[in-house]
Amino acid sequence: MSIYSASTTAPVNIATLKYWGKRDKSLNLPTNSSISVTLSQKDLRTLTTAATSETFTEDKLWLNGKLESLESERTKACLADLKKLRKELEDSDASLPKLSTFGLHIVSENNFPTAAGLASSAAGFAALVVAIAKLYKLPQDMSELSKIARKGSGSACRSLFGGYVAWEMGDLTDGEDSKAVEVAPLGHWPGMKAAILVVSDDKKDTPSTSGMQLTVATSDLFQHRIKEVVPARFIEMKKSIAEKDFPLFAELTMKDSNSFHAVCLDSYPPIFYLNDTSKKIIKLVHKLNELEGKIIAAYTFDAGPNAVIYYEEHNESKVLGFLHTVFNKVEGWKGEVKSTDYKFDFDDQLYKGVSKVILTEIGPGPQDTEETLINEQGLPK
Amino acid sequence: MSIYSASTTAPVNIATLKYWGKRDKSLNLPTNSSISVTLSQKDLRTLTTAATSETFTEDKLWLNGKLESLESERTKACLADLKKLRKELEDSDASLPKLSTFGLHIVSENNFPTAAGLASSAAGFAALVVAIAKLYKLPQDMSELSKIARKGSGSACRSLFGGYVAWEMGDLTDGEDSKAVEVAPLGHWPGMKAAILVVSDDKKDTPSTSGMQLTVATSDLFQHRIKEVVPARFIEMKKSIAEKDFPLFAELTMKDSNSFHAVCLDSYPPIFYLNDTSKKIIKLVHKLNELEGKIIAAYTFDAGPNAVIYYEEHNESKVLGFLHTVFNKVEGWKGEVKSTDYKFDFDDQLYKGVSKVILTEIGPGPQDTEETLINEQGLPK
């Protein structure tokens, strides 16, 4: 039995200009362009092995050790697109093995808990698409592949690049121009760091897909956000990255996080992702910037209460020292972080609302790896 | 010694279409029109006595038993306007005593705690203006007087009427067309009731004056709210009152509360008035309406975490029964309220976030009263 296999890793990305709203639900076409920073895979990544063989009778997917249904329309759309591209190759070169007709075995593992609300679906779909593209030896570039990953999970398209990434919303109804592009590579502005505060919450969040559909349908402020606010911010944020202007980048990032949560609140019924702990973290970051006399840290919140705080490496002792003062009892600190001697008032019980600190930084896109999750029988190791 | 005196009561009003944003700070001219329901003075009112005498050498104000400074520009603006109107009367009729040249003693008391964040300044300025207008025997009608109360506190102008009240923003730069008018009298739709849940909070709210200035200056969504969203809603809400259409009135009320808090969140730095308890109350009201299959209750939140829940009298057993299920351990229930047998999940610790329930209803405007707070020496009793 001959088994073909390929593995890749893919990163998590955290948007600084938020994706919220679909203009086409089945193609995951967004109502606005977005921008993200790709995070280091040392801390957060998905590893995926894709394998195929004449003997595999069906497509199968194992996520974190568990066999998953492949009935999801989104996963099926990704697999169909990839098989179609493989078929085109096979049709043009009869010597190629007919992989497009074989079943696929896909095994995927995260190095972080899925439940933490850390954009695991973005890394997951990015890794799935890239691993299969590699298995199929597809010639398409990352932007082309990002259109396939987008159909799995909108924000997954941004995980196909490292560094600073834009998802251009596009105009076409078939989505062929709705893809990820590099705004700037990792090496352009490599000192971007991120501290993630994983916030405990007692309630289940509104899933982002149904949440954004509700916002599109009911928020009176939403159209203004997508037509006026985001397009202007998209240009400004790309400029701030080109110029490595942290205060501008940070201000736009914070404002856009707030704008996104504002249109959630303006939905009917309203959607709340920020809880009292999140709000206190927001106030702390503004307090730090105020004490410092300039903007050295920026918060952003996705569809959940977790805070991602971006800062530049040269301000690490100030930013982490400040956060350590409040959250030193929380697990996850590494290296030698010392609380700073800023004088400020804070809720000394606030740390109880945070279950974990994850210290990470900007990172590259999907990486080839020799590691494989599939054994010689074509099953998960 | 001859002392002239007059007393009045004035009500609290709770906006259903929110006032948030000034186009002129010193005249308290708003960026949008607003609508409110006047609440019963049995539960919430300010009683004010204004007295004057040739022997009073200066203006003095006692609030809830405490001598207050009259240095506030806002109070001074109200007193100056009222004295000017009195002077016009005196100039046209030489037989009138020259009250406009005498000092004023003003004594004011609330029948509810000022600190609870229950729009006490609206009732306070309304009572102050009406008491002095009565003392001075001014011929101006309530809309004219509302322009003076507005200079004290914007929303105070709406407390000069009972029932359903609009504050028309006006166009003029001198504010002469920015005044309160009656949308419908109490008798038009008398069955409107209100349950106020006083929510405990550990943080100090951003004062509304500075909060709204921050929103005007920094929120990217705000201009859309005042130019597009509120003007349309103003017309619709007046129609819902004219037609006594509770589901429409309620939906507009809830949406406008959310829209107001959304532009607060979109301010930079963001302003938060709703806390986790407020958010859970919002979800409960949506749950009640969902269980009932129609909208029978509407929440609204001012610049603080307290919930005001409007409902119609004929739904009282349903609405209060539902709230009683969750908040029966909280003080303030009156009459025979029984928990209903709706089946729903709720946080059984939620009641701990609410310090008091106030059950009230729609009420009339300022009322004449024989009660006086000033003794024969012209001092507080």
Side-chain angles (χ1 to χ4, degrees):
Chain A
M1 175 173 90
S2 156
I3 296 181
Y4 304 84
S5 89
S7 295
T8 190
T9 63
V12 162
N13 73 79
I14 300 289
T16 50
L17 188 64
K18 299 298 187 192
Y19 157 50
W20 194 252
K22 299 180 202 279
R23 65 179 203 272
D24 182 305
K25 203 175 161 183
S26 67
L27 292 173
N28 275 344
L29 300 180
T31 51
N32 62 262
S33 297
S34 54
I35 295 178
S36 59
V37 173
T38 296
L39 296 186
S40 169
Q41 297 175 55
K42 290 198 293 268
D43 304 293
L44 303 165
R45 61 110 187 95
T46 299
L47 167 62
T48 297
T49 299
T52 192
S53 165
E54 205 165 356
T55 64
F56 295 175
T57 53
E58 55 179 341
D59 298 336
K60 285 187 175 177
L61 172 66
W62 290 264
L63 285 186
N64 297 312
K66 210 180 127 204
L67 185 65
E68 296 282 325
S69 158
L70 269 174
E71 284 311 292
S72 135
E73 290 304 320
R74 298 180 163 199
T75 312
K76 283 200 279 189
C78 292
L79 298 188
D81 278 7
L82 291 160
K83 288 187 180 186
K84 182 162 167 268
L85 293 176
R86 171 66 191 182
K87 175 111 187 355
E88 287 170 14
L89 279 189
E90 293 164 2
D91 289 347
S92 66
D93 180 351
S95 73
L96 293 176
K98 301 287 183 287
L99 304 189
S100 68
T101 65
F102 303 168
L104 278 168
H105 285 189
I106 307 153
V107 185
S108 192
E109 281 181 5
N110 296 330
N111 66 348
F112 60 97
T114 312
L118 288 167
S120 56
S121 69
F125 275 105
L128 178 134
V129 168
V130 173
I132 297 172
K134 189 178 159 195
L135 173 72
Y136 286 170
K137 300 192 192 307
L138 299 181
Q140 279 74 17
D141 67 16
M142 285 295 184
S143 268
E144 281 300 306
L145 295 178
S146 79
K147 293 189 271 183
I148 301 174
R150 187 203 75 220
K151 294 182 190 175
S153 167
S155 56
C157 72
R158 296 187 310 243
S159 278
L160 267 70
F161 290 92
Y164 303 84
V165 186
W167 174 8
E168 295 175 340
M169 64 177 287
D171 296 317
L172 302 175
T173 52
D174 66 1
E176 281 306 301
D177 58 351
S178 186
K179 61 184 194 297
V181 299
E182 183 184 89
V183 171
L186 178 53
H188 166 72
W189 193 6
M192 187 66 70
K193 309 273 280 185
I196 303 172
L197 303 177
V198 180
V199 172
S200 329
D201 210 22
D202 59 349
K203 66 175 203 303
K204 206 173 164 306
D205 295 328
T206 307
S208 63
T209 295
S210 56
M212 61 178 80
Q213 290 309 102
L214 185 68
T215 301
V216 172
T218 64
S219 166
D220 293 298
L221 301 173
F222 177 72
Q223 289 299 321
H224 187 70
R225 167 171 163 80
I226 62 168
K227 285 181 187 153
E228 305 292 335
V229 179
V230 174
R233 210 169 261 161
F234 185 69
I235 293 166
E236 271 203 289
M237 192 177 280
K238 288 202 290 187
K239 184 167 165 280
S240 75
I241 293 168
E243 295 174 356
K244 294 178 265 191
D245 179 345
F246 187 83
L248 177 58
F249 173 78
E251 182 173 327
L252 294 168
T253 295
M254 292 187 277
K255 283 184 169 178
D256 201 67
S257 176
N258 296 334
S259 169
F260 150 50
H261 291 283
V263 297
C264 288
L265 171 48
D266 188 53
S267 306
Y268 184 79
I271 304 163
F272 299 103
Y273 292 119
L274 304 176
N275 66 17
D276 284 353
T277 302
S278 313
K279 293 189 282 186
K280 286 178 181 172
I281 293 169
I282 287 174
K283 282 171 192 266
L284 279 178
V285 172
H286 283 288
K287 173 55 77 177
L288 167 62
N289 290 331
E290 182 193 315
L291 287 167
E292 195 56 28
K294 61 174 189 273
I295 301 182
I296 65 167
Y299 54 78
T300 188
F301 294 79
D302 278 348
N306 297 334
V308 176
I309 298 169
Y310 286 116
Y311 61 93
E312 289 183 289
E313 191 165 23
H314 64 85
N315 287 319
E316 181 150 275
S317 62
K318 287 175 179 170
V319 175
L320 294 190
F322 180 85
L323 294 174
H324 191 262
T325 306
V326 182
F327 298 108
N328 59 76
K329 296 200 182 81
V330 179
E331 65 158 317
W333 296 99
K334 58 189 182 186
E336 285 205 12
V337 179
K338 283 183 195 150
S339 297
T340 44
D341 56 359
Y342 290 114
K343 295 280 173 284
F344 63 103
D345 290 327
F346 63 92
D347 172 359
D348 63 7
Q349 301 297 302
L350 181 56
Y351 75 92
K352 292 182 177 168
V354 173
S355 61
K356 195 176 176 183
V357 177
I358 299 171
L359 301 179
T360 187
E361 62 196 358
I362 194 167
Q367 300 288 299
D368 281 346
T369 174
E370 294 304 311
E371 203 176 340
T372 178
L373 296 171
I374 284 183
N375 65 20
E376 291 173 3
Q377 285 72 48
L379 293 170
K381 279 187 170 172
Chain B
M1 176 173 88
S2 156
I3 295 181
Y4 303 85
S5 88
S7 295
T8 191
T9 64
V12 161
N13 73 81
I14 300 290
T16 50
L17 188 63
K18 299 297 187 191
Y19 157 50
W20 193 253
K22 298 181 203 278
R23 64 180 204 273
D24 181 306
K25 203 174 162 184
S26 67
L27 292 173
N28 275 345
L29 300 180
T31 52
N32 62 264
S33 297
S34 54
I35 295 178
S36 59
V37 173
T38 296
L39 297 185
S40 169
Q41 296 174 56
K42 289 199 293 266
D43 304 291
L44 304 165
R45 61 111 187 93
T46 300
L47 167 63
T48 297
T49 299
T52 192
S53 164
E54 204 165 356
T55 64
F56 295 174
T57 52
E58 55 179 341
D59 297 336
K60 285 187 176 177
L61 173 65
W62 290 264
L63 285 185
N64 297 311
K66 210 180 127 202
L67 186 64
E68 295 283 324
S69 158
L70 270 174
E71 284 309 293
S72 136
E73 289 304 320
R74 296 179 164 202
T75 312
K76 283 199 279 188
C78 292
L79 298 187
D81 278 8
L82 291 160
K83 288 187 179 185
K84 182 163 166 269
L85 293 176
R86 171 66 191 183
K87 175 112 188 354
E88 286 170 14
L89 282 188
E90 293 164 3
D91 289 348
S92 67
D93 180 351
S95 73
L96 294 176
K98 301 287 184 287
L99 304 189
S100 68
T101 65
F102 303 167
L104 278 167
H105 284 188
I106 307 154
V107 183
S108 193
E109 280 181 6
N110 296 331
N111 65 347
F112 61 96
T114 312
L118 288 167
S120 57
S121 70
F125 274 105
L128 177 132
V129 169
V130 173
I132 297 171
K134 190 177 158 195
L135 173 71
Y136 285 170
K137 300 191 192 308
L138 299 181
Q140 279 74 18
D141 67 15
M142 283 295 184
S143 268
E144 281 300 306
L145 294 178
S146 80
K147 293 190 271 183
I148 301 175
R150 188 204 73 221
K151 295 182 190 175
S153 167
S155 56
C157 72
R158 295 187 311 244
S159 279
L160 267 70
F161 291 90
Y164 302 85
V165 186
W167 173 8
E168 295 176 340
M169 64 177 287
D171 297 317
L172 302 175
T173 53
D174 66 1
E176 281 306 302
D177 58 351
S178 186
K179 61 185 192 298
V181 298
E182 182 183 270
V183 171
L186 177 53
H188 166 72
W189 194 6
M192 187 67 70
K193 309 273 279 186
I196 303 173
L197 303 176
V198 180
V199 172
S200 329
D201 210 21
D202 59 350
K203 66 176 204 302
K204 207 174 164 302
D205 295 328
T206 307
S208 62
T209 295
S210 56
M212 61 177 81
Q213 290 309 103
L214 185 67
T215 301
V216 172
T218 64
S219 166
D220 293 297
L221 301 174
F222 177 72
Q223 289 299 322
H224 186 71
R225 167 172 163 79
I226 62 168
K227 285 181 187 152
E228 305 291 336
V229 179
V230 174
R233 210 169 262 160
F234 185 70
I235 293 166
E236 271 203 289
M237 193 177 280
K238 286 202 290 186
K239 184 168 165 280
S240 74
I241 293 167
E243 296 173 357
K244 295 178 263 192
D245 179 346
F246 187 83
L248 178 58
F249 173 78
E251 181 173 327
L252 295 168
T253 295
M254 292 186 277
K255 283 184 169 176
D256 201 67
S257 176
N258 295 334
S259 169
F260 150 51
H261 291 283
V263 297
C264 288
L265 172 48
D266 188 53
S267 306
Y268 185 79
I271 304 163
F272 299 104
Y273 291 120
L274 304 176
N275 66 17
D276 284 353
T277 302
S278 312
K279 292 190 283 186
K280 286 178 182 172
I281 293 169
I282 287 174
K283 282 171 193 267
L284 278 178
V285 172
H286 283 288
K287 173 55 78 178
L288 167 62
N289 290 332
E290 182 193 315
L291 288 167
E292 196 57 27
K294 60 174 190 273
I295 301 182
I296 64 168
Y299 55 78
T300 188
F301 294 80
D302 278 348
N306 296 334
V308 176
I309 298 169
Y310 285 116
Y311 61 93
E312 288 184 289
E313 191 165 22
H314 64 84
N315 287 318
E316 180 150 277
S317 62
K318 288 175 179 171
V319 175
L320 293 191
F322 179 86
L323 294 175
H324 191 261
T325 306
V326 182
F327 298 106
N328 60 76
K329 295 201 182 83
V330 179
E331 65 158 319
W333 296 99
K334 57 189 181 185
E336 284 205 14
V337 179
K338 282 184 195 152
S339 298
T340 43
D341 56 359
Y342 290 113
K343 294 280 173 283
F344 63 104
D345 290 328
F346 62 91
D347 172 359
D348 63 6
Q349 301 297 301
L350 181 56
Y351 76 90
K352 292 183 178 169
V354 173
S355 60
K356 195 176 176 183
V357 176
I358 299 171
L359 302 179
T360 186
E361 62 196 358
I362 193 167
Q367 300 289 299
D368 280 346
T369 175
E370 293 303 309
E371 203 176 339
T372 178
L373 295 171
I374 285 184
N375 66 19
E376 290 173 3
Q377 284 72 48
L379 293 170
K381 277 186 172 175

